[in-house]
Amino acid sequence: MTRRRAAILISGRGSNMAALLAAMADPAFPAEAALVLSNDPAANGLETARAAGVPAEAVDHRAFRGDRPAFEAAMGERLAAHGADLVCLAGFMRLLTPGFVASWRDRMVNIHPSLLPAFPGLRTHERALEAGVAFHGCTVHLVRPEMDSGPILGQAMLGVKPGEAPDDLAARVLALEHRLYPAALSAFLRGELRPEGERILPGPLALAG
Ligand code: GAR
């Protein structure tokens, strides 16, 4: 099997990136790490990637003064330079234009800290607690132009504890994210999950915490 060449896009801590790098260090995993790319040169995850021997670069979005197509063209140039044919968003906190998303259709995946389509956007754990849900979790999906949307490759869920604090819930979901992302990505790349319109067949990977 030819391994895909993955670029992992981050904006900060990079713990999901680290989970993907650990999985990709196994030659049996269907993708290898080609590049870690951040929009923020100060992202902690860049050092983690370099320590793991993976090329890590930044394209500082602030240098482009709101010109998103120019920012994305610069990122695209770095992706091409490293031969990336797969993009894994891992806590990448910039919105992408429809044109960039279209150019990576079915080759760009994201992880989001909620059970989509519930709670797209930010502050997902606080909002889940405010809504009084019994179950919460995370989602790995193919990226479509609308924020935090696209065919669902996998979800992991847990039961919310009575009176649970947002930070505690976030930590429990994050541990699930680190399990779900490599598992869902692997199943997708091996062809066990395939897009059919806006759904995934035979059905999303399901994990429980
Ligand atoms: C993760 O919880 C990820 O799901 C979330 O940001 C965090 C990044 O942490 N992503 C989003 O909210 C995207 N909509 P990490 O840098 O330690 O992986």
Side-chain angles (χ1 to χ4, degrees):
M1 178 187 54
T2 317
R3 301 176 80 198
R4 299 282 288 273
R5 286 185 59 77
I8 305 173
L9 270 53
I10 65 170
S11 293
R13 175 177 57 184
S15 71
N16 277 290
M17 171 211 75
L20 289 175
L21 292 184
M24 290 174 185
D26 179 350
F29 193 87
E32 61 183 335
L35 171 68
V36 168
L37 189 59
S38 175
N39 63 295
D40 180 358
N44 288 329
L46 290 173
E47 277 311 310
T48 312
R50 288 185 192 119
V54 175
E57 301 180 4
V59 174
D60 190 342
H61 69 277
R62 287 164 296 205
F64 297 87
R65 301 174 179 277
D67 184 346
R68 283 201 285 156
F71 166 61
E72 290 169 349
M75 285 202 301
E77 194 271 321
R78 299 320 303 151
L79 298 176
H82 289 270
D85 59 10
L86 173 75
V87 170
C88 303
L89 304 180
F92 184 73
M93 305 308 270
R94 306 300 300 172
L95 290 175
L96 297 167
T97 65
F100 187 80
V101 171
S103 72
W104 288 93
R105 187 180 172 89
D106 293 346
R107 299 186 304 153
M108 181 154 65
V109 293
N110 181 44
I111 186 153
H112 181 76
S114 76
L115 293 171
L116 292 173
F119 312 119
L122 300 175
R123 294 181 60 252
T124 56
H125 309 303
E126 290 88 340
R127 287 160 57 214
L129 290 169
E130 283 161 17
V133 297
F135 295 101
H136 185 47
C138 52
T139 302
V140 171
H141 63 97
L142 294 174
V143 177
R144 295 290 185 259
E146 201 180 321
M147 184 186 66
D148 297 327
S149 76
I152 292 173
L153 295 170
Q155 292 190 306
M157 67 150 209
L158 46 68
V160 177
K161 295 178 181 170
E164 187 161 20
D167 285 355
D168 295 338
L169 183 57
R172 291 201 300 131
V173 171
L174 190 64
L176 277 184
E177 293 184 45
H178 299 160
R179 285 172 52 203
L180 179 69
Y181 207 167
L185 181 63
S186 174
F188 173 61
L189 295 178
R190 290 179 196 283
E192 295 159 15
L193 303 173
R194 58 185 194 284
E196 176 93 7
E198 290 309 293
R199 302 236 310 260
I200 293 295
L201 296 179
L205 185 72
L207 292 183

